[in-house]
Amino acid sequence: MTSNQAIPEIPDPQPGSPPFSGSTSPPAGAPQGASAAPKPRTTRAGVVWAAVVVGLLALILLIIFILQNQQPVNVFFLGLAVTVPLGMALFIAAVAGGVLVAAAGAVRIIQLRSDARKIRKTRNKPNPE
């Protein structure tokens, strides 16, 4: 649409008329063949594919990081002393942090499910009145 063309106004719905039904037919006055293309459906396979691509990109960046940080460092933990490459030490620390967060999240999910189960049981219990 060019700037000198007028934009048609959409009339307000009449009182008592049904709400917009979501029809995909072109509006009145639209040229033939100008129907709106249906929006592609999001599928599980598409979501999984996108997640795999993002994961692979993250792994590539991680490999580059580890390869660029090969200087040996001394790591001390609970009386243990280990010499490992810096990139690997940081990677191990990140994985350990992720495991701790996942464990805390799992505990919270278990608590919420337990609470929901108790609520369902009290709702389904017949009243002795």
Side-chain angles (χ1 to χ4, degrees), residues 94-128:
V95 169
V99 168
L100 290 175
V101 168
V107 168
R108 183 64 181 142
I109 289 171
I110 291 169
Q111 287 175 342
L112 291 172
R113 285 185 181 178
S114 174
D115 290 346
R117 192 176 303 116
K118 289 176 187 174
I119 291 170
R120 274 196 309 271
K121 283 183 181 180
T122 58
R123 284 186 186 165
N124 294 335
K125 188 184 271 188
N127 289 336

Side-chain angles (χ1 to χ4, degrees), residues 1 9 15 22 26 29 32 38 40 44-45 52 57 71 74-75 86 88 104 109 113-114 116 118-120 122 128:
M1 189 176 278
E9 289 187 24
Q32 293 293 336
R44 288 184 184 175
V52 167
L57 291 174
Q71 305 88 335
N74 294 325
V75 178
L86 175 63
M88 189 55 65
I109 289 171
R113 285 185 181 178
S114 174
K118 289 176 187 174
I119 291 170
R120 274 196 309 271
T122 58

Side-chain angles (χ1 to χ4, degrees), residues 37-58:
K39 183 179 176 186
R41 247 179 8 121
T42 302
T43 62
R44 288 184 184 175
V47 172
V48 169
W49 181 82
V52 167
V53 169
V54 169
L56 285 173
L57 291 174

Side-chain angles (χ1 to χ4, degrees), residues 5-70:
Q5 289 180 337
I7 299 174
E9 289 187 24
I10 299 173
D12 291 334
Q14 299 297 323
S17 66
F20 177 68
S21 64
S23 172
T24 58
S25 61
Q32 293 293 336
S35 64
K39 183 179 176 186
R41 247 179 8 121
T42 302
T43 62
R44 288 184 184 175
V47 172
V48 169
W49 181 82
V52 167
V53 169
V54 169
L56 285 173
L57 291 174
L59 285 175
I60 290 169
L61 293 174
L62 185 63
I63 290 169
I64 292 169
F65 174 79
I66 290 173
L67 289 175
Q68 288 182 344
N69 290 284
Q70 289 293 316

